[in-house]
Amino acid sequence: MFAELNSILNTSPDSFKPGEFILVSDKHTDASFLIHHFLSFYLRAGCKVCFLGLVQSFSHYSAISQRLGVSLTQGREKGQLVFLEGLKESLGVLLQGEASKETRTMDFLRDPSSGLRGLYDFVRDNVRGAVGGAEEWGPPVLLVDDLSVVLSLGVSVGAALDFSHYCRATVCSELQGSMVMLVRCEAEEEEESDDEGSERLLRGLIHQCSLTLQVQGLPTGYCRDIHGQVEVCWRGQCDRQQAQKKLFQYKVHDKGASFFARGMSSAVL
């Protein structure tokens, strides 16, 4: 968990705004360190966390969270963390000839045109189960790493946006929980298809979210002491309210990250 980022966002595990949809995006760099931050943040806050790990294994997230002082294994054993390991579930779908209850969540791998209804049902059942259960957890949280990967599997941008919309209605509006989604846009301008789709997905999600963290490499190129920059944008609750933006440079450490207001680091001006 990154204390400096909490200070920038004016939040803490003891006091955070309910009903937020936080969108994390990256381009020509890796913003996954922010996903690890929010995972440890909400677990420390005592929230019931539903994590859709679509690009990495549970052991990968667990090893990094351990360095941040959080045990995902304990969280899962206590019932605080529900983790969908996309790689393992995908293998089950591909090896099994017919759909079953266990593989229904990833049905879009068989038929991308069917959309992400099975994935939404998984989210809905688990976040609603966090309310009024035997354990008294805080408001439910949905984390997705990363939604753009479904586009490369044949799911349409519209279906991905529908998934986000229904998750937001359930998690943020109905249950007053929070959502954090990562979207990657790695394309050069001359590239087409999937990358154009990821840009359209990003634009659509920006209209749904309340806070964006857009991570990019430094415009000046590689720097040993600064790894990139992140634009933080607080979006208004209605079209009449203007978004507030701030730009920070950052450096990721083994057990955290440092953030600098642009021009405040001695490494990059």
Side-chain angles (χ1 to χ4, degrees), residues 43-60:
L43 287 174
R44 286 179 183 272
C47 297
K48 175 67 177 284
V49 177
C50 179
F51 191 111
L52 305 185
L54 302 179
V55 295
Q56 296 285 356
S57 66
F58 177 82
S59 59
H60 167 83

Side-chain angles (χ1 to χ4, degrees), residues 168-199:
R168 177 171 170 257
T170 300
V171 178
C172 299
S173 298
E174 177 187 340
L175 303 176
Q176 285 297 293
S178 303
M179 278 172 46
V180 181
M181 285 189 177
L182 173 63
V183 174
R184 290 197 159 91
C185 301
E186 296 291 350
E188 298 292 344
E189 290 183 1
E190 64 269 23
E191 295 180 359
E192 299 178 356
S193 64
D194 287 344
D195 297 303
E196 288 185 353
S198 64
E199 290 284 358

Side-chain angles (χ1 to χ4, degrees), residues 48-224:
K48 175 67 177 284
V49 177
C50 179
F51 191 111
L52 305 185
L54 302 179
V55 295
Q56 296 285 356
S57 66
F58 177 82
S59 59
H60 167 83
Y61 297 104
S62 180
I64 296 177
S65 293
Q66 198 74 42
R67 293 204 295 269
L68 297 178
V70 174
S71 172
L72 299 193
T73 301
Q74 287 185 1
R76 193 158 66 169
E77 289 174 350
K78 292 188 301 182
Q80 184 184 9
L81 173 66
V82 175
F83 189 95
L84 176 70
E85 192 163 0
L87 297 176
K88 180 184 290 186
E89 294 295 326
S90 298
L91 185 61
V93 172
L94 297 175
L95 292 179
Q96 189 163 323
E98 297 181 358
S100 69
K101 183 177 180 180
E102 288 72 21
T103 62
R104 184 171 57 85
T105 300
M106 307 290 284
D107 267 354
F108 63 89
L109 290 173
R110 274 194 204 88
D111 181 16
S113 64
S114 65
L116 301 176
R117 177 59 185 268
L119 197 60
Y120 166 71
D121 288 344
F122 174 87
V123 171
R124 180 200 60 203
D125 293 346
N126 282 285
V127 296
R128 284 184 178 167
V131 180
E135 295 286 348
E136 289 297 328
W137 304 115
V141 175
L142 170 64
L143 276 77
V144 184
D145 181 15
D146 73 88
L147 186 60
S148 56
V149 74
V150 302
L151 303 182
S152 63
L153 299 173
V155 176
S156 69
V157 172
L161 289 174
D162 286 344
F163 168 76
S164 172
H165 170 76
Y166 284 112
C167 287
R168 177 171 170 257
T170 300
V171 178
C172 299
S173 298
E174 177 187 340
L175 303 176
Q176 285 297 293
S178 303
M179 278 172 46
V180 181
M181 285 189 177
L182 173 63
V183 174
R184 290 197 159 91
C185 301
E186 296 291 350
E188 298 292 344
E189 290 183 1
E190 64 269 23
E191 295 180 359
E192 299 178 356
S193 64
D194 287 344
D195 297 303
E196 288 185 353
S198 64
E199 290 284 358
R200 287 192 289 120
L201 175 62
L202 176 60
R203 290 195 297 270
L205 291 173
I206 286 175
H207 288 293
Q208 296 183 15
C209 72
S210 54
L211 172 66
T212 61
L213 300 171
Q214 296 183 303
V215 182
Q216 297 184 356
L218 291 171
T220 53
Y222 172 78
C223 177
R224 183 182 64 182

